[in-house]
Amino acid sequence: MQFKKIGVIGGGTMGQGIAEMLAVRGLDVLLVEQSSEKLDYAYSMIELSLDKQLEKWGITMSEKKLILSRIHKVSHFAELGTCDMVIETISEDLEMKKQVFAELDAVCPGHIILASNTSTLSLTELASSTKYPSRVIGMHFIYPVAKVNLVEIIRGLKTSDDTFVQTKHFVEEVVSKKGIMVYESPGFVTSRIILTLINEALHVLQEGVATAEDIDDAMRIGYAFQHGPLEMADRFGLDSVLAAMERMFREFGDLKYRPSVQLKKMVRAGHLGVKSGEGFFKYDKDGDRV
């Protein structure tokens, strides 16, 4: 299959990153959000990201204009019927995602691959809301999308071999990232391991073993992490981290997945990380550490 036009549902942090990355790779992107206000905001954040690259001489002004010209703001799912693939990136809410897939099933011809960027939810359950579960697959990009050259390709119970082969071709040949095949399991590979690490860092902080700054420096400098585990949590969104930990705890029943009390307190206080401007560290409106 030729992949030329890709639908992206959801203009949050991941949706913005995926849409920008696809446009940089020369693909046309139909970006969908719930309202025109949210759509305009998502588009403005993509433009801000490109402006930062422009300031650092990473791209030229003409390249910026070309990339933005490939991203089209769309308000109705019906327009996605012309896409070669649709990637869903909304928040980790199973019922909301199932509703999205049911609506996509009604407007997208049976050969179009429907992918979810979910990091913890069941692809089999998402696919159950469609008439063609064989075309539903997980495609978990990792933040920041432009810099991390890995995608987890998750097979649900009914995902067909053809859907997997085409998706792997898309990941490795079209967007030039390494694709690893994962059989469905809560948290897959990356989220399951990194969230357990973040949770352990939270226990270390809660016990007063070291400060947030020193915990992150220990892992960032000592083990060459791009960000320490607590800043990672801030960038993922502490509410998202909590929801994922609770989901894995329910699924596995293992105490190592029980979320830290400190994490629950932070979420209750509204300190969600980059998205709220404050988590374990403080951030400006552009998401940079203050």
Side-chain angles (χ1 to χ4, degrees):
M1 173 182 272
Q2 292 294 312
F3 292 100
K4 295 181 179 178
K5 187 190 294 185
I6 310 296
V8 176
I9 301 176
T13 303
M14 291 305 294
Q16 293 162 24
I18 292 169
E20 180 186 328
M21 179 273 298
L22 294 173
V24 168
R25 296 292 197 279
L27 298 165
D28 282 317
V29 179
L30 300 189
L31 182 61
V32 185
E33 250 299 355
Q34 288 177 314
S35 65
S36 58
E37 291 79 16
K38 287 186 176 181
L39 201 51
D40 289 341
Y41 175 75
Y43 192 86
S44 70
M45 292 304 289
I46 294 170
E47 187 167 9
L48 179 64
S49 169
L50 294 172
D51 284 338
K52 286 183 179 181
Q53 295 171 55
L54 195 61
E55 288 171 7
K56 297 174 182 176
W57 302 93
I59 58 173
T60 64
M61 180 59 78
S62 60
E63 284 174 325
K64 174 194 165 182
K65 289 179 179 176
L66 184 60
I67 292 165
L68 287 174
S69 73
R70 295 187 183 122
I71 301 173
H72 312 281
K73 294 185 276 188
V74 172
S75 54
H76 301 292
F77 278 17
E79 296 179 59
L80 299 177
T82 60
C83 292
D84 301 310
M85 172 188 280
V86 178
I87 304 171
E88 168 274 313
T89 74
I90 69 170
S91 58
E92 292 286 271
D93 182 306
L94 181 62
E95 292 309 314
M96 284 176 61
K97 285 182 185 284
K98 285 174 73 174
Q99 184 179 340
V100 165
F101 273 82
E103 290 183 37
L104 286 174
D105 206 45
V107 298
C108 295
H111 67 278
I112 295 178
I113 293 172
L114 304 182
S116 175
N117 184 54
T118 181
S119 57
T120 57
L121 296 176
S122 164
L123 271 304
T124 301
E125 194 161 355
L126 288 179
S128 71
S129 62
T130 73
K131 294 176 184 174
Y132 308 102
S134 62
R135 62 160 166 178
V136 177
I137 196 165
M139 197 156 50
H140 179 218
F141 290 88
I142 298 169
Y143 177 88
V145 177
K147 294 181 180 178
V148 180
N149 291 320
L150 179 79
V151 179
E152 288 181 296
I153 306 172
I154 305 101
R155 298 185 69 145
L157 187 63
K158 295 187 177 180
T159 303
S160 70
D161 289 340
D162 183 57
T163 296
F164 173 75
V165 168
Q166 288 193 54
T167 303
K168 190 171 175 66
H169 168 79
F170 172 78
V171 168
E172 298 195 333
E173 304 300 327
V174 181
V175 300
S176 304
K177 293 183 183 289
K178 171 64 178 175
I180 62 165
M181 186 177 80
V182 180
Y183 287 105
E184 185 176 302
S185 177
F188 313 133
V189 174
T190 56
S191 296
R192 179 173 172 179
I193 293 173
I194 206 66
L195 290 173
T196 310
L197 173 72
I198 288 170
N199 204 41
E200 193 60 34
L202 282 159
H203 286 308
V204 171
L205 178 66
Q206 190 176 315
E207 291 164 17
V209 176
T211 65
E213 187 85 42
D214 285 344
I215 290 169
D216 269 22
D217 281 349
M219 301 308 294
R220 188 174 54 79
I221 300 169
Y223 290 91
F225 281 39
Q226 183 182 1
H227 301 298
L230 300 178
E231 184 172 343
M232 272 188 219
D234 279 351
R235 294 190 177 281
F236 293 156
L238 299 192
D239 51 342
S240 298
V241 172
L242 177 59
M245 289 300 304
E246 288 178 332
R247 193 170 296 113
M248 287 199 295
F249 184 41
R250 281 196 304 273
E251 292 281 344
F252 289 113
D254 193 317
L255 287 176
K256 69 182 177 184
Y257 300 115
R258 184 170 65 185
S260 155
V261 172
Q262 180 72 25
L263 178 60
K264 292 181 178 180
K265 285 181 180 177
M266 298 282 283
V267 172
R268 286 169 187 154
H271 296 168
L272 307 180
V274 174
K275 66 174 79 174
S276 67
E278 183 176 358
F280 295 103
F281 306 101
K282 292 187 177 180
Y283 304 86
D284 61 22
K285 62 181 177 61
D286 295 336
D288 296 320
R289 281 270 295 269
V290 175

